[in-house]
Amino acid sequence: MKRLFTFVLIGFFAMQIQAQIESSELGIEAYGGGSSLGGSFGGELKYAAKLPNNLVIGPSFRLQRTWSNYLAMQSHFTVYGGGAFAHLRIQDKVFVGTEFQMLRSPYNFTTFQTQAKKWAPTLFIGGGFYLKLAPKINLNLALFYDVINAQNSPFRSSYNFKMKNQAGQVVRILPIIYRITLFIPLTK
């Protein structure tokens, strides 16, 4: 009975959203990076439904291949998972938003070992610029802060903002990433 109620409720909200969709877009994000200690490449697909008042919501799916060569111990694995996002576009120039994903990531990027906990939640909050490059191509340039910052988050190797002490040693890495996403309109 509980499941039936949940499906009915989800169906009701889906029908309400479907009635309000003004347009839709496909978001494509490529990801890559590496060093002598390892690397990763892959990407993310997003389906964006644009609702009234420039609210853009939808599901996302990420797939990436990661490898590590830390202390000459080689490991290779695939990270995958899905989530949802919501962006509020302000005058079609800037946006603020949140993105949540649950990713299967068996590698701990703090201890450099595989671990029993296989799933990593990520919750990004941030914003950036929304640029119209051409009639059929739009671009998001964004900075996001990972509120959860799980130890097995596959984004840990992408955090570029480091805090150093007076001796120049890194004492803290902030869970901030940048993202560049192409959005291709599917409907008007």
Side-chain angles (χ1 to χ4, degrees):
M1 184 68 178
K2 192 175 184 182
R3 281 189 188 169
L4 178 62
F5 177 74
T6 303
F7 285 123
V8 169
L9 192 61
I10 290 172
F12 174 75
F13 284 117
M15 287 188 309
Q16 294 298 318
I17 289 172
Q18 181 66 30
Q20 297 180 8
I21 293 176
E22 294 178 350
S23 64
S24 62
E25 302 173 0
L26 177 66
I28 302 169
E29 176 188 316
Y31 177 82
S35 71
S36 61
L37 298 177
S40 187
F41 70 92
E44 179 178 23
L45 290 176
K46 295 179 179 176
Y47 171 77
K50 186 175 178 188
L51 303 177
N53 299 321
N54 285 328
L55 179 62
V56 180
I57 63 171
S60 63
F61 177 75
R62 176 169 294 278
L63 178 67
Q64 66 189 53
R65 184 73 177 154
T66 302
W67 64 95
S68 174
N69 190 26
Y70 185 71
L71 296 175
M73 296 176 58
Q74 294 186 351
S75 62
H76 306 271
F77 53 92
T78 302
V79 174
Y80 62 88
F85 71 97
H87 293 171
L88 178 63
R89 293 178 181 161
I90 302 166
Q91 296 181 352
D92 278 343
K93 293 185 180 169
V94 297
F95 76 95
V96 294
T98 184
E99 300 183 2
F100 174 80
Q101 288 185 331
M102 186 62 86
L103 302 171
R104 185 180 183 283
S105 178
Y107 191 74
N108 186 316
F109 290 88
T110 304
T111 62
F112 303 102
Q113 300 174 29
T114 56
Q115 64 179 23
K117 184 178 180 184
K118 303 287 187 203
W119 292 90
T122 62
L123 177 61
F124 289 105
I125 296 175
F129 296 100
Y130 175 74
L131 308 169
K132 293 188 177 198
L133 299 179
K136 292 285 185 181
I137 298 177
N138 304 319
L139 184 70
N140 273 12
L141 301 171
L143 282 177
F144 282 104
Y145 181 85
D146 188 357
V147 176
I148 298 173
N149 193 18
Q151 289 187 351
N152 61 331
S153 171
F155 299 111
R156 274 186 166 262
S157 60
S158 302
Y159 299 156
N160 294 315
F161 297 91
K162 298 173 173 72
M163 298 176 74
K164 297 180 179 182
N165 62 13
Q166 292 176 345
Q169 298 170 325
V170 176
V171 293
R172 186 170 178 213
I173 299 174
L174 299 175
I176 298 173
I177 64 167
Y178 60 89
R179 283 200 169 156
I180 301 171
T181 308
L182 288 174
F183 279 97
I184 301 165
L186 299 174
T187 62
K188 288 228 172 200

